[in-house]
């Protein structure tokens, strides 16, 4: 899921923001805080964890191991349709933290032009354990659909990246990019017409269901709880501490804050006492 416009410090990621009410940009003051460039520095911290922590590798392996277990369970039962897996790409099995680090070290954030320059290279590395899982699923005859919000002009670079690391692509139409809407719901429904979707993999809640699309923090939290039985069963989530709708929801999906306003909002949102 790619939305690097808002970046949050890795050390703040574990704090709950669900009770925070975010004011409009015009009403946000920019007081001095102990932190400056909190967003960009947070990007570095998040990438440091993603690139260097064995715990992150373990979390990825845990997710793929559970996915394999659930896939084997599905394969053991009769289905009236061919089985399929829907998977996101970015931070679900390809690691783009290198792009984020490059931008942060330049003192800049995500933008679409440089993101497309990055994806055109086709060099994002696979997350630990991802190749083995996707290859196993394809070997078992399960159709893999890569449903991503990369746009059409990123197709060539994306295909290059998939081929570089031998991610199965049974049909080039199985790479489904974003056209008009960011929601993936209609794309999932189209797949479901002909396939029994047994697993969905993603790093963002919107990779799983429309109930998570463009919802507030409180609504997202409630939707997670109402879907509790799906996580680890049909929904397999990969950790992403760098970006996602969890941050966008904090800002009520408004992107007109300055970096200083964002820093102030983030700093004041987290608590030192429970």
């Amino acid at each position: 899921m790619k939305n690097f416009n808002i970046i949050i410090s890795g050390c703040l990621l574990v704090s709950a923001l669900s009770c925070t009410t975010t004011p409009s940009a015009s009403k946000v003051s920019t007081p001095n805080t102990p932190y400056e460039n909190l967003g960009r520095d947070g990007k570095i911290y998040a990438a440091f964890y993603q690139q260097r922590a064995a715990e992150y590798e373990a979390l990825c392996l845990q997710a793929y191991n559970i996915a394999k277990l659930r896939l084997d369970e599905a394969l053991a039962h009769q289905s009236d349709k061919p089985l399929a897996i829907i998977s996101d790409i970015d931070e679900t099995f390809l690691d783009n933290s290198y792009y984020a680090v490059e931008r942060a070290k330049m003192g800049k954030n995500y933008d679409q032009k440089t993101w497309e320059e990055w994806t055109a290279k086709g060099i994002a590395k696979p997350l630990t354990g991802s190749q083995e899982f996707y290859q196993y699923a394809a070997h078992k005859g399960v159709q893999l659909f890569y449903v991503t919000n990369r746009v059409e002009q990123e197709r060539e670079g994306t295909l290059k990246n998939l081929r570089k690391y031998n991610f199965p692509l049974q049909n080039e139409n199985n790479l489904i990019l974003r056209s008009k809407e960011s929601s993936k719901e209609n794309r999932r429904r189209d797949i479901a017409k002909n396939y029994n979707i047994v697993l969905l993999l993603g790093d963002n809640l919107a990779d799983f269901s429309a109930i998570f699309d463009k919802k507030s923090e409180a609504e997202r939290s409630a939707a997670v709880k109402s879907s509790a039985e799906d996580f680890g069963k049909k929904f397999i989530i990969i950790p992403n501490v760098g970006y996602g709708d969890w941050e966008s929801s904090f800002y009520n999906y408004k992107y007109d804050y300055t970096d200083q306003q964002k820093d102030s909002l983030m700093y004041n949102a987290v608590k030192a006492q429970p």
Side-chain angles (χ1 to χ4, degrees):
M1 317 309 11
K2 60 183 195 300
N3 180 0
F4 294 88
N5 289 324
I6 308 165
I7 305 169
I8 189 167
S9 172
C11 60
L12 300 179
L13 299 179
V14 296
S15 299
L17 300 177
S18 59
C19 296
T20 303
T21 300
T22 307
S24 64
S26 62
K27 297 180 180 179
V28 177
S29 62
T30 54
N32 292 326
T33 70
Y35 291 98
E36 293 181 0
N37 301 321
L38 183 59
R40 291 198 299 271
D41 291 347
K43 194 65 179 179
I44 295 290
Y45 196 88
F48 176 58
Y49 177 77
Q50 189 163 327
Q51 293 181 11
R52 305 302 296 262
E55 288 84 351
Y56 179 75
E57 294 182 294
L59 285 167
C60 292
L61 287 169
Q62 178 174 261
Y64 299 129
N65 286 343
I66 293 171
K68 181 176 180 294
L69 173 66
R70 296 308 188 190
L71 179 58
D72 286 341
E73 291 175 349
L75 288 165
H77 294 86
Q78 292 291 328
S79 174
D80 59 347
K81 295 179 182 179
L83 302 189
I85 292 172
I86 293 179
S87 176
D88 177 51
I89 293 179
D90 299 309
E91 274 53 65
T92 296
F93 64 85
L94 287 184
D95 180 355
N96 299 284
S97 61
Y98 306 92
Y99 164 79
V101 170
E102 179 182 34
R103 295 295 292 169
K105 287 186 174 182
M106 294 171 62
K108 298 179 180 180
N109 292 326
Y110 164 90
D111 67 59
Q112 185 65 22
K113 181 177 181 295
T114 57
W115 168 257
E116 291 179 14
E117 291 170 355
W118 159 255
T119 59
K121 297 175 183 177
I123 59 173
K125 294 177 64 176
L127 299 183
T128 303
S130 60
Q131 292 161 292
E132 293 81 358
F133 170 72
Y134 290 91
Q135 290 168 5
Y136 177 81
H139 178 72
K140 291 293 184 177
V142 178
Q143 283 289 310
L144 292 162
F145 289 91
Y146 304 114
V147 180
T148 173
N149 275 348
R150 292 187 179 198
V151 293
E152 187 59 38
Q153 50 265 42
E154 297 177 78
R155 181 177 293 275
E156 183 178 349
T158 304
L159 289 171
K160 178 181 176 181
N161 214 155
L162 294 176
R163 291 167 180 152
K164 178 179 177 67
Y165 290 108
N166 298 314
F167 283 101
L169 188 65
Q170 293 118 325
N171 186 311
E172 288 203 5
N173 291 330
N174 286 19
L175 174 60
I176 306 174
L177 298 106
R178 175 179 176 175
S179 54
K180 295 181 179 179
E181 56 186 10
S182 61
S183 174
K184 297 181 176 181
E185 185 66 11
N186 287 330
R187 286 174 277 175
R188 288 190 292 259
R189 288 178 179 174
D190 285 342
I191 295 168
K193 292 175 183 177
N194 299 307
Y195 293 91
N196 177 11
I197 301 167
V198 293
L199 285 174
L200 297 101
L201 289 89
D203 64 300
N204 187 32
L205 292 173
D207 293 326
F208 305 123
S209 171
I211 66 172
F212 301 111
D213 285 346
K214 299 296 182 182
K215 297 297 192 296
S216 68
E217 286 187 310
E219 289 170 328
R220 296 177 92 242
S221 179
V224 165
K225 294 177 177 66
S226 70
S227 305
E229 292 185 359
D230 288 321
F231 290 99
K233 186 175 182 180
K234 188 173 184 179
F235 300 164
I236 307 296
I237 192 161
I238 311 296
N240 179 0
V241 298
Y243 65 93
D245 283 352
W246 51 266
E247 53 179 343
S248 302
S249 64
F250 171 63
Y251 297 100
N252 294 322
Y253 303 94
K254 297 177 181 178
Y255 305 108
D256 53 352
Y257 297 109
T258 67
D259 287 344
Q260 190 176 9
Q261 287 171 333
K262 294 172 192 174
D263 288 349
S264 178
L265 286 167
M266 285 188 286
Y267 181 78
N268 289 301
V270 293
K271 302 172 183 177
Q273 296 292 333

